[in-house]
Amino acid sequence: MSDTATKAGLDDLEKHRVELTGYCYRMLGSAFEAEDAVQDTMVRAWRSFDKFEGRSSLRSWLYRIATNVCLDLLNAGNKRARPMDLTAAAPLAQAALNPRPDHVWLEPMPDARVLPSVHDPAEAAVAKESVRLAFVAALQQLPSKQRAVLILREVLAWKASEVAELLDTSVASVNSALQRARATLAEAPPADSATADPLDDEQQKLLDRYVAAFEGYDMKALTELLAEDAVMTMPPFDLWLRGTDDITGFMLSLGHECENSRLLPVSANGTPAFAHYKPDPDNGGFKPWAIQVLEISEGRIAGFHCFLDLSDRWFPLFGVPDHLDA
C-alpha cells in the first residue's frame, strides 16, 4: 500500500473515532477502557484493511469489531457502578470514607471525546441524553448483548436487520433482546436531568449561584439550590449521601478541606460539570481534586457526583490545568 493510500486509509478510520468511543463508553462505563477498546478496534481494522471487501459500510465494519472488543471485555466480568448501586445511603453520623478499586466505578467522560458534531439538534439531544451518568449506569444492569442491541437500536437508530447482521443473529433475536432490555430499564428508569443542550438562562443562573455558594462555602446558599433529596457521591469512596442536611453537614466536617476551593467549567456526560481545585498549602494556589458532574432537575441541583482525582487521571483526560494560581 502506497504512503498516500496508507494515509487515506488511516484518515478513513479516524473519522469514526469519536462516535466509536461514545459507543464503547456506553457499553463499558469506563472512559479509559472505552478509549483502549477503540484503539484496539483501530489496530484490528488496520491490520485487516486490505481484506475489507466493502460488502458493508466501513462504519458498520468498525462497529462490528468494536462490539466484539467490548463483548470480550464484558465477558471478563467488567461491570461498572455508582456508589448508590452498591450500598445504602449513609447517615452523616455513620459516614466513613472506604475506597474501592478503580475498576468498580462508573467513570465520567468529556463530551468532546464521545459526542461527534452533528447538525440535527434532535440527534444531538439524544446523544447527550445517552451519555448521562444515570443512563450509562442503567445500561450496566443489562446483559452485554442486550446492552449492545439497545444502544445500536435506540441510541444510534440502527435497523433491526443491521443489528442482526452485526451480531450474526436473527432479526427476531434482536427484537426479543430489545424488548427484554426495555423491560429491565422500565423497572428502574434512570432519573431525568437537564443536559447541556445548551442550558437555558435559568439553569445557567442556577449554576452561577452554585459556583458562588461552593467557592464561598456558603452552606445556607447551597441548601437553597439543592433538591431536598439531592444525592452526593465521591468515588472511589463508596459513601454516598442523600438530603441537604447530610450533604452540607459532611462538607463542614469530613469535607472541610474543600473550603476556599475553585471550580472551572468543563463538559462531561452531556451535563454541566466542573473541575474542582482545592487549596494547595505546599505550593500556593490550587491543586486538582475532583471532577464534579451535576444533575439538574426541576430548577434544583438533584445530584453532584465528585470523582476524586487521587490517581492524577481525570484532569489530564479533561485537558484542564494541573494547577491554578491564587
Side-chain angles (χ1 to χ4, degrees):
M1 187 180 292
S2 69
D3 290 345
T4 301
T6 297
K7 185 179 185 306
L10 290 172
D11 288 345
D12 286 342
L13 296 178
E14 282 298 323
K15 290 175 185 176
H16 300 280
R17 182 177 290 274
V18 173
E19 66 169 304
L20 286 171
T21 305
Y23 174 62
C24 292
Y25 174 67
R26 296 177 185 100
M27 286 287 290
L28 301 171
S30 164
F32 299 102
E33 284 188 358
E35 295 204 328
D36 287 347
V38 172
Q39 189 59 30
D40 190 2
T41 297
M42 294 296 187
V43 170
R44 294 188 191 190
W46 181 244
R47 287 174 176 169
S48 304
F49 201 71
D50 289 343
K51 301 175 185 175
F52 175 58
E53 298 176 355
R55 286 180 293 189
S56 62
S57 69
L58 176 63
R59 180 172 181 258
S60 298
W61 184 58
L62 288 171
Y63 268 92
R64 175 191 284 269
I65 298 170
T67 299
N68 288 332
V69 171
C70 289
L71 292 178
D72 287 345
L73 288 169
L74 292 169
N75 287 338
N78 297 17
K79 183 179 179 182
R80 301 283 175 152
R82 303 169 298 171
M84 63 277 282
D85 301 322
L86 301 177
T87 65
L92 180 59
Q94 298 174 18
L97 298 177
N98 300 312
R100 297 203 189 190
D102 289 340
H103 66 76
V104 170
W105 301 115
L106 181 69
E107 297 177 345
M109 180 60 113
D111 285 357
R113 292 179 181 260
V114 292
L115 297 176
S117 298
V118 295
H119 298 296
D120 183 349
E123 186 179 343
V126 169
K128 288 186 175 183
E129 176 70 22
S130 69
V131 293
R132 287 192 306 114
L133 286 174
F135 184 78
V136 178
L139 290 174
Q140 304 303 300
Q141 307 307 312
L142 299 175
S144 54
K145 286 197 175 179
Q146 287 184 29
R147 199 180 307 178
V149 168
L150 184 85
I151 296 167
L152 291 165
R153 290 282 285 119
E154 303 221 321
V155 175
L156 301 177
W158 285 39
K159 297 176 181 178
S161 57
E162 294 172 328
V163 178
E165 182 178 356
L166 182 147
L167 294 175
D168 289 324
T169 189
S170 66
V171 169
S173 178
V174 167
N175 289 337
S176 176
L178 179 60
Q179 186 176 13
R180 294 197 302 275
R182 285 171 173 167
T184 299
L185 293 189
E187 291 174 2
D192 290 331
S193 62
T195 56
D197 199 35
L199 298 171
D200 61 32
D201 288 344
E202 289 304 313
Q203 291 166 338
Q204 188 57 57
K205 288 177 183 176
L206 176 67
L207 288 183
D208 293 341
R209 292 172 63 197
Y210 171 75
V211 171
F214 193 94
E215 292 188 345
Y217 232 60
D218 184 339
M219 294 302 113
K220 183 176 183 296
L222 185 61
T223 297
E224 293 174 355
L225 305 178
L226 296 176
E228 280 190 23
D229 60 348
V231 167
M232 179 182 183
T233 68
M234 293 159 284
F237 301 116
D238 59 14
L239 171 73
W240 65 282
L241 302 160
R242 184 190 295 278
T244 55
D245 288 346
D246 280 354
I247 290 173
T248 56
F250 175 87
M251 292 176 68
L252 291 171
S253 55
L254 290 175
H256 71 93
E257 291 183 3
C258 291
E259 190 169 358
N260 298 317
S261 291
R262 293 292 179 265
L263 299 180
L264 185 70
V266 294
S267 185
N269 293 85
T271 56
F274 296 94
H276 171 190
Y277 296 80
K278 71 176 184 177
D280 185 348
D282 297 324
N283 303 300
F286 303 89
K287 61 183 179 180
W289 180 238
I291 297 295
Q292 294 186 8
V293 182
L294 272 58
E295 295 173 338
I296 296 176
S297 181
E298 298 180 352
R300 289 282 190 273
I301 294 170
F304 58 112
H305 306 286
C306 307
F307 295 88
L308 306 186
D309 200 9
L310 304 184
S311 304
D312 297 323
R313 301 193 306 157
W314 299 124
F315 281 61
L317 180 72
F318 278 82
V320 289
D322 60 5
H323 188 269
L324 292 184
D325 294 332

